[in-house]
Amino acid sequence: MSETTSKSIREDLTQRDELSLYTRIANNPRPFFKWAVPMLVLIAVEFPTYAGVAFGMLDAVVIGVTGLLDAAIGLVSSGLSQTIRDAQYAVVGVLRDAGGFVDGLPTLFSREVIPNQGYQTGPNGPWEGTFLGLEPAYAWALRATLIFAYALFTAYWVFRGWLVYRDHYREADWTPTDDIVDNLSNHQWGKFGIFVLILFLTMAVFGSALGPTTVEQNIQSPYSERINYFNEDTGEVDQVFPGDANFNSKSKGSAEFNVGPMSYDDYGRFHPFGTLTNGRDLFTFMMGGARITMIVSALAIGGAALIAAVFSMFSAYYSGRVDLTILTTADGVVSIPRLLLLILVSAVFANHWIGNVLNGGFLLAIIFAFTTWPFLWRAVRGPALQVAQEEWILAAKSYGQQPRTIMRKHMFPYIVGYLLVYASMSTGGIIIGLAALSFLGNGLGISPPTPAWGRAISMGQDYVSGPSWHISLLPGLMIVLLVTGLNALGDGIRDAIDPEAGGSAEGEEAAAGGGG
Amino acid sequence: MSKTTSRPQSAAQGDEVLVDVTDLKKFYGGEGFFAGPPVKAVNGVDFTIKRGETLGLVGESGCGKSTLGRTLLQLETPTEGSITFDGTDVTTLSGSDLKEWRRNAQMVFQDPESSLNDRMTVGEIIREPLDAHDWKTKQERRERVLDLLSAVGLRDEHYFRYPHQFSGGQRQRVGIARALALEPEFLVLDEPVSALDVSVQAKIISLLEDLQEEFNLTYLFIAHDLSVVRHICDRVAVMYLGKIMELGETEELFQDPSNPYTKSLISAIPRPDPTDTTRRITLPGTPPSPRDAPEGCPFATRCPAKIRPEEYTHLDEDVWDGIERFREVIRERSRMDLGVTGLARRGVGRFSRFDDLEEAVSDLFEGVDVPEEVRVHIEQAVEYAKKGYPSKAREYLYEEFSSVCDREKPKFYETSGTARYSYCHRHANEYEDVDPVISRRTSDE
């Protein structure tokens, strides 16, 4: 039996042009299609949403990068920076057109398919304009539940795709990654972290469909279109601007001026989290804030992790002077007070258009990345130094492997786990930092009227002990939940890559051990 | 018997020399103003390796044998000296020339746990050298990997396994396959079997022998296990504190070692013969720090056949032993860092850290009748050290008791007709030979 298998391995390896995944799938397509067809359906029903998110991010990246180039090159040659700006307008124009186009496409879980905004035709009359004539609260709850269920199932199905690959198409019957995944799937606390992360990513991606109303209609331009409502005084259906409706739905801390969680205002609008002090819908506000928070913190932590990974490998591989230079630089960066730097940069770029990319979030992401990388670098440098001492690095040098390849193939796989652990834990700090800036306001943080979590907390701080407690508390709890979830995820990954580290205190020591 | 040379030559003419090492030195540290003395890991080494032979390199741990192996492969930059490989001086190579040369010389590492990257499959590990050198096409690389797997006794299906799934012996086979991937002529085997079980050791050794025959390889076999060396090597070099002490044909060197260090090393091999009467030579103390190597012969501090100065030849063995041990103690003290407090106390004459020296002296000379001429010097040295000047005590003892072994570096003496070289003053005509000295001195014990 081993005779035949070994023969076929040799044939596989030497006679086929490429040992590609494609050939392996072609040989045994059933499991792949059983996974891929549902996956395609899952993507297709919400494709415009994903495309919109992708275009939006591309848009921000293009503006951000060209903006930085423009600012840098503008110092040298103004002609060249004009060219860059022209290119930027062209690209962004195309992206916005494409974004506008996909925005018009229908999606399955949209407010058009399951509408929740309607009006009553009489004092106890049926609801007009809502899904199947349901009450707005139920229509909204149905849509939100469906979206969360859809998102969780899609996430599971993506993971399932990896399982299909592992069981049917991977050449190795076992890899070290399998152990990590198995450990993580037995780690309840870590799974909680993943669950929370998926929850908040869902809010970021499907935010506009999740809210009972839209940021556009309720917050950004509330005086552009009227809405219908049942006027109890006149007993007729009237029209009103959402802005005027907001004005009469404020939560101001007294019994008569309060729209609490899970209640309707006088205009038949349902507010799952109640309203803000200016009468806007808190849940819609939070969903809008989720997207900007997730994008900015992802950019910041991604940038910081990238710098930390590259620098820690340089430190460990070259050591000596290179390490000392990075060490000094990192210490220098750490010595700058973060808040002061944020205030300074916000002031300097207050009227520059780069300060408006992502409503000011891009600049914040850069500053957070710049101030966070030294911590990640310190944490990962230890493990990197450890790997650099392994003999396989020496072996790779002995057959003349390039330093770049040595770092990528022989060092990076060993530090990426630690990087994930520390990155997920540091993200909590960045999210709190972002919220703190918005809380302070005065030109700091995300610029209004774009929703930001910290601003909601700041608005409600005078009413914490009254009927309008929800304004500060609910956003606060959401931040706590997200940060706890990220820490849980970090814990889970740490235990998964190093199961021997065991309990929490010990584990932390083991993971941080090399950091010094 | 005492033909001296500055360096050993290859005796058997007609054998082509593949590797020629001349006065190779590798020091660590010691640069910059505040740095202490450098660690002299390899301190002037000469030897040649002929094509197709296996040269063994033995020595206790820390004597610099692994550093020597790594320096030969340009994994460390030599401080001084040259390494000629097939006619080219490889110490001058750099960039793409060096990379190209690396195909010729590869290494098998000691620890199979650490020498294979656990995140890569065995196929990827063995293929990596080929990828790094862009060797032929992808299919041919895979074919080559499979050939190598079978050459080292592994099977095709191991291609997609991870090192985790293998035993130590199998992992070492993978390491050997990787080293062979680029068809090198020369392999440095850095203790390739010392991390393995004894039963597996034999298999790996015979695999190495088969491969050598099949691919016409030249080996530098680094080891501390003398029996393995005796089995596999054609010639053996014995290393001590960065120096080669003796070099010669394996069997001859094991049967009749010339150098006192080799003698003591070989006397330590357990013998299964109960009637055997060969005395085991036990060396006193530990090897000196490679930061502070003796200025003459590196083995001078522990040598059982050390030459004594003219004026003290009449002393008893016990007295002389005591003197040597006392010098060792003083050397230790002189390497100690006194610290700021120590220096301050010395400045005001209240230094007391070395007050235990008198006790040490009485221990060392316990039951020994120390003649007056020796006693005064010992006491003077103790006095210096107690005042906080151990270096001065060391100088003083050096002036008084040093012999040619302490003062001058020996030469390589050819000690037999078959190209055997030994690094010892005793081979010079004016001194008594090693054997009678050792047997006389050890018999008294």
Side-chain angles (χ1 to χ4, degrees):
Chain A
M1 178 239 159
S2 88
E3 186 65 23
T4 56
T5 53
S6 77
K7 180 136 195 170
S8 75
I9 291 172
R10 182 167 280 262
E11 277 168 5
D12 269 359
L13 285 169
T14 51
Q15 287 175 9
R16 238 189 275 144
D17 280 350
E18 267 299 317
L19 197 69
S20 66
L21 186 62
Y22 176 78
T23 346
R24 273 174 274 149
I25 291 177
N27 287 344
N28 177 20
R30 254 185 87 82
F32 173 74
F33 283 114
K34 272 169 100 175
W35 172 79
V37 172
M39 190 72 225
L40 270 178
V41 173
L42 283 172
I43 294 176
V45 296
E46 282 290 337
F47 175 73
T49 313
Y50 299 126
V53 170
F55 283 127
M57 294 217 307
L58 266 179
D59 188 340
V61 167
V62 168
I63 295 187
V65 170
T66 49
L68 286 182
L69 278 177
D70 176 25
I73 290 175
L75 299 172
V76 189
S77 138
S78 57
L80 214 57
S81 81
Q82 185 58 47
T83 329
I84 290 174
R85 248 172 288 160
D86 291 345
Q88 183 202 70
Y89 289 139
V91 175
V92 168
V94 171
L95 283 174
R96 298 241 161 110
D97 285 348
F101 172 70
V102 297
D103 227 22
L105 296 174
T107 61
L108 183 58
F109 304 110
S110 63
R111 61 181 66 252
E112 285 79 26
V113 179
I114 311 173
N116 71 310
Q117 286 167 294
Y119 53 91
Q120 268 175 314
T121 45
N124 286 309
W127 289 84
E128 250 333 282
T130 62
F131 183 63
L132 301 174
L134 286 168
E135 249 187 76
Y138 296 124
W140 169 81
L142 178 70
R143 192 170 72 221
T145 314
L146 281 175
I147 289 174
F148 279 118
Y150 163 81
L152 286 170
F153 185 74
T154 308
Y156 164 73
W157 203 253
V158 170
F159 172 66
R160 168 98 185 231
W162 182 77
L163 288 180
V164 169
Y165 167 71
R166 179 172 98 172
D167 295 344
H168 297 282
Y169 301 111
R170 197 174 62 189
E171 284 144 327
D173 48 8
W174 177 88
T175 73
T177 327
D178 293 7
D179 280 1
I180 297 175
V181 172
D182 288 347
N183 289 338
L184 196 57
S185 63
N186 290 326
H187 197 281
Q188 298 306 325
W189 185 229
K191 280 199 293 196
F192 166 74
I194 295 175
F195 175 75
V196 170
L197 187 65
I198 293 174
L199 222 58
F200 277 83
L201 282 175
T202 311
M203 291 179 201
V205 174
F206 298 99
S208 61
L210 274 173
T213 173
T214 60
V215 173
E216 164 77 7
Q217 187 203 55
N218 191 250
I219 296 167
Q220 267 165 350
S221 36
Y223 289 99
S224 54
E225 249 177 278
R226 288 171 210 267
I227 54 166
N228 293 325
Y229 77 104
F230 176 72
N231 192 329
E232 278 175 20
D233 298 336
T234 58
E236 281 170 20
V237 174
D238 274 352
Q239 288 201 316
V240 68
F241 280 116
D244 293 329
N246 287 346
F247 188 79
N248 296 321
S249 317
K250 291 177 178 176
S251 292
K252 281 293 203 181
S254 59
E256 57 268 38
F257 286 115
N258 188 44
V259 181
M262 292 301 190
S263 61
Y264 290 89
D265 61 16
D266 297 341
Y267 301 90
R269 303 183 302 174
F270 179 67
H271 299 287
F273 277 10
T275 60
L276 285 162
T277 50
N278 48 20
R280 291 167 181 174
D281 180 54
L282 177 57
F283 193 85
T284 308
F285 189 88
M286 291 305 292
M287 293 305 111
R291 179 173 286 191
I292 193 87
T293 305
M294 298 303 271
I295 289 176
V296 171
S297 37
L299 275 179
I301 202 68
L306 186 73
I307 301 173
V310 171
F311 278 6
S312 66
M313 286 193 287
F314 268 77
S315 277
Y317 186 82
Y318 293 108
S319 65
R321 264 181 214 149
V322 176
D323 188 25
L324 191 69
T325 311
I326 298 173
L327 180 82
T328 320
T329 316
D331 282 350
V333 172
V334 169
S335 69
I336 303 171
R338 184 192 268 188
L339 190 63
L340 223 57
L341 184 73
L342 283 162
I343 294 172
L344 194 81
V345 174
S346 300
V348 168
F349 285 93
N351 296 314
H352 193 277
W353 57 269
I354 197 163
N356 294 326
V357 183
L358 282 175
N359 308 102
F362 185 72
L363 207 56
L364 292 177
I366 289 177
I367 300 169
F368 274 110
F370 176 73
T371 51
T372 308
W373 76 260
F375 298 100
L376 288 180
W377 170 79
R378 274 189 199 163
V380 179
R381 177 173 166 264
L385 281 171
Q386 231 165 22
V387 184
Q389 295 303 315
E390 296 282 0
E391 267 178 350
W392 67 73
I393 306 279
L394 201 65
K397 283 183 198 166
S398 81
Y399 45 72
Q401 188 61 279
Q402 302 290 326
R404 195 161 19 98
T405 321
I406 293 180
M407 287 184 219
R408 182 169 51 78
K409 270 176 118 169
H410 297 296
M411 294 174 74
F412 185 69
Y414 289 86
I415 62 165
V416 68
Y418 294 94
L419 205 58
L420 279 175
V421 173
Y422 287 99
S424 59
M425 293 187 174
S426 314
T427 312
I430 292 177
I431 288 166
I432 291 174
L434 269 174
L437 284 175
S438 306
F439 180 87
L440 290 174
N442 296 325
L444 297 174
I446 305 294
S447 31
T450 307
W453 291 349
R455 205 165 328 114
I457 299 176
S458 152
M459 280 181 188
Q461 64 173 327
D462 293 338
Y463 311 109
V464 170
S465 56
S468 303
W469 50 268
H470 59 270
I471 305 174
S472 280
L473 186 71
L474 294 176
L477 284 179
M478 273 179 76
I479 293 174
V480 168
L481 180 67
L482 176 55
V483 173
T484 311
L486 287 168
N487 275 295
L489 179 64
D491 274 345
I493 298 172
R494 188 193 54 211
D495 291 350
I497 55 172
D498 191 6
E500 283 159 36
S504 57
E506 263 174 83
E508 226 145 340
E509 249 169 40
Chain B
M1 88 157 225
S2 48
K3 186 178 100 187
T4 72
T5 52
S6 66
R7 54 180 304 244
Q9 305 290 323
S10 169
Q13 294 301 316
D15 288 333
E16 193 195 343
V17 171
L18 182 67
V19 183
D20 187 348
V21 177
T22 313
D23 194 29
L24 188 70
K25 289 182 182 168
K26 175 64 194 172
F27 299 166
Y28 292 101
E31 288 158 43
F33 187 70
F34 294 107
V39 172
K40 296 178 177 174
V42 177
N43 192 7
V45 157
D46 298 274
F47 63 90
T48 58
I49 306 175
K50 284 169 277 180
R51 196 181 283 280
E53 82 166 340
T54 304
L55 175 68
L57 187 62
V58 295
E60 49 201 297
S61 39
C63 72
K65 50 190 196 304
S66 284
T67 310
L68 176 58
R70 286 172 190 190
T71 315
L72 276 190
L73 295 186
Q74 296 298 297
L75 292 172
E76 307 273 358
T77 323
T79 313
E80 228 182 284
S82 75
I83 302 161
T84 314
F85 186 92
D86 215 2
T88 31
D89 183 357
V90 296
T91 53
T92 57
L93 294 179
S94 64
S96 57
D97 290 340
L98 179 62
K99 185 173 173 181
E100 200 47 40
W101 173 76
R102 287 196 186 286
R103 301 176 74 143
N104 298 322
Q106 287 289 306
M107 186 153 181
V108 175
F109 292 88
Q110 173 179 7
D111 183 4
E113 294 296 316
S114 163
S115 63
L116 306 178
N117 184 346
D118 286 330
R119 305 289 168 102
M120 287 163 78
T121 61
V122 163
E124 286 169 335
I125 290 173
I126 302 175
R127 213 183 58 208
E128 209 194 345
L130 301 172
D131 291 341
H133 284 267
D134 247 338
W135 190 85
K136 294 189 186 170
T137 65
K138 278 191 173 170
Q139 286 101 301
E140 281 169 305
R141 283 179 211 167
R142 285 187 213 118
E143 177 113 44
R144 171 111 182 107
V145 173
L146 293 174
D147 292 343
L148 286 164
L149 279 175
S150 67
V152 298
L154 295 172
R155 290 194 306 276
D156 284 357
E157 59 259 40
H158 290 147
Y159 190 97
F160 294 118
R161 301 262 170 88
Y162 281 81
H164 269 316
Q165 295 163 295
F166 289 87
S167 69
Q170 285 176 313
R171 288 175 72 123
Q172 197 59 298
R173 284 171 196 267
V174 175
I176 292 168
R178 175 178 61 188
L180 291 175
L182 292 165
E183 302 177 306
E185 296 171 71
F186 176 54
L187 277 189
V188 172
L189 308 166
D190 189 359
E191 310 213 17
V193 295
S194 51
L196 305 175
D197 288 349
V198 180
S199 59
V200 183
Q201 284 190 358
K203 286 186 194 158
I204 297 291
I205 292 287
S206 69
L207 171 69
L208 287 169
E209 284 179 318
D210 293 346
L211 291 171
Q212 180 169 40
E213 203 164 307
E214 194 178 338
F215 300 111
N216 191 25
L217 297 166
T218 307
Y219 287 159
L220 175 69
F221 191 96
I222 301 172
H224 59 241
D225 183 342
L226 294 170
S227 53
V228 169
V229 168
R230 189 171 190 172
H231 177 77
I232 193 174
C233 297
D234 301 318
R235 291 190 304 145
V236 177
V238 180
M239 220 173 153
Y240 183 81
L241 209 65
K243 270 279 182 195
I244 288 183
M245 303 302 291
E246 185 165 3
L247 178 69
E249 304 284 336
T250 309
E251 211 37 49
E252 219 188 286
L253 186 135
F254 273 82
Q255 294 289 351
D256 177 28
S258 314
N259 194 284
Y261 178 62
T262 322
K263 279 184 193 296
S264 56
L265 207 59
I266 285 168
S267 80
I269 304 176
R271 262 164 263 258
D273 180 5
T275 61
D276 187 83
T277 53
T278 334
R279 229 170 227 285
R280 180 174 171 170
I281 308 166
T282 324
L283 296 180
T286 50
S289 154
R291 264 184 212 287
D292 186 24
E295 150 190 357
C297 171
F299 192 46
T301 60
R302 302 167 76 196
C303 184
K306 189 177 173 183
I307 298 163
R308 293 182 195 165
E310 287 290 321
E311 56 268 38
Y312 291 109
T313 40
H314 60 281
L315 285 183
D316 268 359
E317 292 305 323
D318 295 341
V319 178
W320 191 253
D321 267 354
I323 294 171
E324 286 293 343
R325 298 292 70 74
F326 178 65
R327 288 185 64 188
E328 172 89 42
V329 170
I330 293 291
R331 256 195 305 273
E332 289 288 331
R333 299 289 162 109
S334 71
R335 277 203 288 271
M336 279 180 172
D337 185 12
L338 297 182
V340 180
T341 6
L343 291 178
R345 294 182 77 103
R346 185 170 81 180
V348 296
R350 298 186 55 128
F351 191 83
S352 60
R353 240 171 88 190
F354 294 158
D355 282 0
D356 58 336
L357 268 178
E358 264 160 6
E359 207 174 313
V361 169
S362 59
D363 276 355
L364 283 173
F365 294 99
E366 196 185 354
V368 181
D369 181 24
V370 185
E372 192 55 33
E373 46 175 341
V374 176
R375 187 190 304 277
V376 285
H377 298 305
I378 300 282
E379 275 165 7
Q380 181 61 51
V382 169
E383 209 49 44
Y384 282 136
K386 272 173 68 181
K387 277 187 188 147
Y389 298 95
S391 306
K392 206 165 162 186
R394 181 177 169 177
E395 291 284 306
Y396 181 82
L397 289 174
Y398 179 84
E399 290 300 324
E400 202 49 48
F401 295 113
S402 67
S403 70
V404 62
C405 290
D406 292 302
R407 288 192 304 266
E408 285 169 35
K409 290 197 190 306
K411 290 193 181 81
F412 273 108
Y413 295 91
E414 185 164 1
T415 56
S416 78
T418 50
R420 187 126 64 87
Y421 300 91
S422 173
Y423 188 70
C424 181
H425 284 297
R426 284 254 175 226
H427 303 308
N429 283 336
E430 62 263 43
Y431 300 110
E432 198 181 356
D433 208 1
V434 183
D435 270 336
V437 179
I438 291 187
S439 61
R440 188 177 65 235
R441 290 190 186 171
T442 49
S443 65
D444 297 348
E445 281 172 18

